[in-house]
Every structure is written in C-alpha cells, then in structure tokens.
Amino acid sequence: MKRLAALLFAAAMLAAGCSSDQSGPGQHLVVFAAASLKQTFTQIGEQFKTDNPGATVEFSFAGSSDLVTQLTQGAKADVFAAADTKNMDKAAQAGLLAGNPVNFATNTLTIAVAPGNPKGIRTFRDLARPGLAVVVCAPQVPCGAATKKIEDATKVILAPVSEESAVTDVLGKVSTGQADAGLVYVTDVAGSGGKVDGVTFPESTGAVNTYPIATLKGAADPDLAQKFVELVTGPAGQQVLAQAGFAKP
C-alpha cells in the first residue's frame, strides 16, 4: 500500500509539473516605435509571431521624443525604434540601451495635400503663401526637426496653424481637410490609401532622417527582443520597409 501511494503521489506531481509547463506565461514583447512605423511594424509583428510561436507583440506608436520621455520616466519596453538618431542618442545617454543601436531605414519629407492638389502647391516656398493652412510636426519630433532644417537651408520660414507631436497627426489634419498642406514622410503619403497626394521638393534631400533600433536594458526577455531587432534589420523586415517606401540607411 505504501508503495502504491508513493507511485500515485509521484504520478500526481509529474502531471502537475506538466500542467504548469503548458499553462506558463507566453513570451510577450513590448516595442516602442516612431509613429511613422505603424503600418510596417504591425506587419513585421505578424511575421514575428509566426516565426516565434506563442510570442505576442505589443506596440506603442508615438512621436520619438514622446517615447524617449516615457522611457526615461520609467515606462517598460523591450525594444525602441526611433525616427532619428538624435532621440536614440537621448535614450543612450539616459542609460536605457542594452547594446549599440542599428540603423535600419531612412525616410524623406514630402508635402501632403488634398487629392488633386486643389491649392496648387508645387514647391516648399509655396507653403509660406498667405492664407494657406499648413501643419507641421513640433520641433522636438524628428519630422519637425527635419522641417526646421529645411527652413534654415532655404530661408523660407513657415507659419503653421499647428505643430503636432507625431507625423500621423499631421497626416490626419490634411486627410480630414483641417489643413491645406502638411509636411510628412513619403511613406505616410504612400500608406494613406489615396486620402492625400504628395508633392516632392528637392530640398528634402538635405534633411533625410535615419531610423535606428535597439534593445533596452529593461527587456523582460533580451533574447526575444534581439530576435525582433534581427527581423527588422534582416531580409524579411527590410522587404516590408522597402515596399512601404523606406530607403536603406
């Protein structure tokens, strides 16, 4: 009887152990990424889940400067992808990075206008025309810093009706008719589904933004975080980014 009881106890413990393994928490990844990466990273996230069965990905998309502020104030994340090197440098200086960031894409500004360009905007200088409602990103946001760089180079000073905290907000104002024009990335126009048209201008080549990505020291699963970085910088991720209009770093 004692032997039978021992065997039954051992079997019960083994079953409990198996049950515990099967119901344990899955791998969960939190990615903080620039607003302009929303479409591409969402797509890459689906591929990531396919490549890593049982893993889940949670994205927080916003202006890069806002994301850095959140991280320095204690927000928890595993991966950070910024729309410029300046904000990634801020994260590095705050001691948030687990390793060196990797540049994975570049993006260029264009002028978003209503379909058909009813205001006849052809150049960057046209954005300074009186009576034109123009929206830009705030100076601390990468798209805003790029706008300021072009203003300085061309000596054309804009008088925007608003300065937004994310490039997607600029796009939204133009696509809904709240603004006549806005400075966004070429990828934003390409991904707008025809809600806006884009007007390219040569001066934009002087303010190209480089996108870096890095794993963070607070990552709950550093290996999983590194796998996401490798997917973004690898052939599959690069193909998604190229299809959206991003250029190589």
Side-chain angles (χ1 to χ4, degrees), residues 30-38 41 59-77 79-84 87-88 90-91 94 96 140-142 165-166 212 216:
V30 179
V31 178
F32 275 27
S36 51
L37 293 167
K38 185 172 184 178
F41 267 35
F59 290 105
S60 179
F61 296 107
S64 298
S65 58
D66 285 347
L67 293 174
V68 171
T69 298
Q70 291 175 37
L71 289 170
T72 55
Q73 291 179 348
K76 300 298 182 183
V79 176
F80 175 45
D84 66 351
N87 279 290
M88 183 61 77
K90 289 181 181 178
L96 299 172
Q140 68 271 21
V141 184
S165 61
L216 299 173

Side-chain angles (χ1 to χ4, degrees), residues 23-241:
S23 62
Q27 296 173 300
H28 183 67
L29 193 72
V30 179
V31 178
F32 275 27
S36 51
L37 293 167
K38 185 172 184 178
Q39 290 187 2
T40 52
F41 267 35
T42 299
Q43 186 176 345
I44 290 172
E46 290 303 313
Q47 182 63 50
F48 183 77
K49 288 187 287 186
T50 299
D51 294 345
N52 301 274
T56 58
V57 187
E58 177 186 342
F59 290 105
S60 179
F61 296 107
S64 298
S65 58
D66 285 347
L67 293 174
V68 171
T69 298
Q70 291 175 37
L71 289 170
T72 55
Q73 291 179 348
K76 300 298 182 183
D78 305 298
V79 176
F80 175 45
D84 66 351
T85 55
K86 180 180 179 181
N87 279 290
M88 183 61 77
D89 288 343
K90 289 181 181 178
Q93 290 163 9
L96 299 172
L97 307 187
N100 293 326
V102 180
N103 296 333
F104 66 93
T106 58
N107 215 347
T108 307
L109 290 182
T110 192
I111 302 169
V113 296
N117 193 7
K119 297 294 183 178
I121 297 167
R122 305 296 177 196
T123 66
F124 182 79
R125 186 173 296 277
D126 284 345
L127 296 178
R129 285 194 330 226
L132 198 67
V134 176
V135 181
V136 300
C137 290
Q140 68 271 21
V141 184
C143 55
T147 298
K148 180 65 166 58
K149 189 173 182 179
I150 295 170
E151 286 183 279
D152 292 343
T154 60
K155 308 303 182 188
V156 174
I157 306 303
L158 306 182
V161 294
S162 71
E163 295 181 338
E164 305 297 328
S165 61
V167 69
T168 47
D169 295 333
V170 176
L171 185 70
K173 288 269 176 101
V174 179
S175 64
T176 57
Q178 297 178 66
D180 298 319
L183 284 161
V184 300
Y185 295 116
V186 293
T187 54
D188 297 308
V189 172
S192 71
K195 292 180 179 179
V196 299
D197 284 348
V199 178
T200 59
F201 56 100
E203 297 91 344
S204 65
T205 59
V208 176
N209 277 359
T210 297
Y211 287 56
I213 187 170
T215 58
L216 299 173
K217 282 184 179 178
D221 189 334
D223 291 338
L224 193 69
Q226 184 58 35
K227 284 181 181 179
F228 185 84
V229 171
E230 290 172 357
L231 177 58
V232 170
T233 58
Q238 289 295 295
Q239 182 178 0
V240 171
L241 290 159

